[in-house]
Amino acid sequence: MSVTDWISILSQFAFLSFLAVGGVMSVAPDMHRVVVVELSILSNEQFLAAITLGKLSPGPNALFVAVLGYQIAGIVGAIAMTGAMIIPSAIFAFYVTRWRRENSHRLSVQSFSIGAAPVVVGLLLSTGFVLIQSFSDVFTMICVLVVALIVWKSRLHLMSLMAIGALLGAIGVV
Amino acid sequence: MPSQDINQKPRTIFELFCVFSLITLQGFGGVISIMQRHLVEQRKWFSQAEFLEMFALSQVLPGPNVCNLALMIGDRFFGTRGALVALSGIIILPMFVILTLAGSYDQIAAGSHVAGAIKGMSVVAVGMTFGTALRLLSGIQTNIVGRVIPTLVVLLVFYLVGCLRIPIFWVILFCGGGSFFWARRSLKNRRVVKEI
């Protein structure tokens, strides 16, 4: 990897971070284009492994970007890529948040707060619904609905639910 | 801010870091469910409505949503330092975990028990997303805009994105826009001046 390659990757990722409205996963196809297709520094399998790791390990899914960086150049690569992904959008978010707080009396800001809430809840429901379709059998779907019901109506600790899920999965029930 | 009286808040910036690290390390397949449970229901730093409001903004802003949300919350309690600390809290430990896993990915992918456990956890994660969305329904404000329009917006967004798979951008533009103008109209009519 030459310096120009690094500049190219980091600037493209920083740019993509600005397009990632609705989460970093929405620009994953573009990241694939940059590192696998255009610069061919990573294989398809490596990219998929990074996505999978992002899903199965705790924390923001966006951290799969750290794995991409790690695959390219170890720890330094991981930190550089994560920084490129997070810092520009974080600075933007910071100033928008400040602006919003200072202008909370404005009609438009209040309208946004009230108006955005049902849209966001609808989107979260959709995410759940789209993901449930990735399970093929009815039994698994029923399990998902049972979990949803427990989370909705009870105060059972979420980590214990996760542990039960992991255990049942490991012994092959779900 | 009248809500400040009933809300709790982190005492030190170190507590802020620890809470976000704790939340993020539990966040398998979605940090938002854990965050809502911890911050709203257990620690009572925010009401359901306040949380939903920040969550909405973090969704609309570009970049990783959970990072944006952590940053907003940190800034709210401790200013710029808080924003940095909360953001670090949500990233640093999971980064160690994911890079450790990346080193042994081949063994992980080969083990059938591990693969099973991951599947079991993803089932729970999807259920948690649903459950959290249902819990957040109670945070939608209905005192100014009424109950009918927000309910319709939730259902419409769900139908368009969940069932028809319309790109989110258009849905946010039109449903969000419609919802925004309905809220604006209602606010104007009532002339309610509410401090947020």
Side-chain angles (χ1 to χ4, degrees), chain A residues 17-18 20-22 56-59 86 97-98 101 108 110-111 115 120 133 148 151-152 154 156 159 162 165-166 169-170, chain B residues 24-28 37 55-56 59-60 62-63 72 75 80 91 94 98 105 113 116-117 120 127 135 165 179-180 184 194:
Chain A
S17 120
F18 271 104
V21 176
L56 71 88
S57 59
I86 288 175
T97 311
R98 283 277 169 97
R101 200 189 310 152
S108 57
Q110 292 181 8
S111 310
V120 173
Q133 290 165 12
V151 173
W152 184 21
S154 83
L156 189 70
M159 261 324 253
M162 206 39 111
Chain B
T24 191
L25 286 178
Q26 295 178 54
F28 293 91
R37 184 59 75 87
F55 178 50
Q59 289 283 86
V60 182
M72 275 175 214
D75 180 50
T80 313
I91 288 170
I98 200 171
Y105 181 72
H113 284 302
R135 266 188 117 98
R165 304 283 184 96
S179 185
F180 173 85
R184 196 167 185 276
K194 194 172 131 279

Side-chain angles (χ1 to χ4, degrees), chain A residues 54-151:
Chain A
K55 281 187 186 152
L56 71 88
S57 59
N61 291 344
L63 280 178
F64 80 89
V65 174
V67 181
L68 293 180
Y70 183 74
Q71 288 165 333
I72 298 169
I75 297 288
V76 179
I79 293 170
M81 292 281 266
T82 312
M85 187 72 229
I86 288 175
I87 295 169
S89 58
I91 293 173
F92 181 70
F94 181 79
Y95 284 107
V96 172
T97 311
R98 283 277 169 97
W99 181 87
R100 211 248 318 233
R101 200 189 310 152
E102 279 149 25
N103 292 278
S104 60
H105 58 278
R106 287 197 188 198
L107 182 63
S108 57
V109 173
Q110 292 181 8
S111 310
F112 172 82
S113 303
I114 296 172
V119 178
V120 173
V121 173
L123 284 176
L124 204 58
L125 282 172
S126 310
T127 307
F129 188 67
V130 170
L131 289 175
I132 201 176
Q133 290 165 12
S134 62
F135 300 118
S136 43
D137 56 314
V138 178
F139 176 70
T140 314
M141 292 186 188
I142 293 171
C143 290
V144 171
L145 294 179
V146 170
V147 173
L149 202 65
I150 294 172
V151 173

Side-chain angles (χ1 to χ4, degrees), chain B residues 17 32 36 43 52 56 78 84 101 104 108 113 120 126 144 150:
Chain B
F17 181 82
I32 200 71
Q36 187 269 346
R43 295 180 192 275
L52 193 53
F78 296 103
L84 280 173
L101 290 175
S104 53
I108 296 170
H113 284 302
V126 175
I144 297 161

Side-chain angles (χ1 to χ4, degrees), chain A residues 6-89:
Chain A
W6 268 118
I7 293 171
S8 162
I9 288 194
L10 294 179
S11 57
Q12 293 209 58
F13 271 55
F15 175 66
L16 285 177
S17 120
F18 271 104
L19 298 182
V21 176
V24 172
M25 287 320 271
S26 59
V27 291
D30 288 282
M31 295 179 169
H32 180 269
R33 182 179 50 75
V34 174
V35 291
V36 179
V37 181
E38 285 176 6
L39 295 166
S40 39
I41 37 171
L42 291 179
S43 68
N44 227 343
E45 288 71 34
Q46 282 178 308
F47 192 86
L48 280 178
I51 297 272
T52 312
L53 280 166
K55 281 187 186 152
L56 71 88
S57 59
N61 291 344
L63 280 178
F64 80 89
V65 174
V67 181
L68 293 180
Y70 183 74
Q71 288 165 333
I72 298 169
I75 297 288
V76 179
I79 293 170
M81 292 281 266
T82 312
M85 187 72 229
I86 288 175
I87 295 169
S89 58

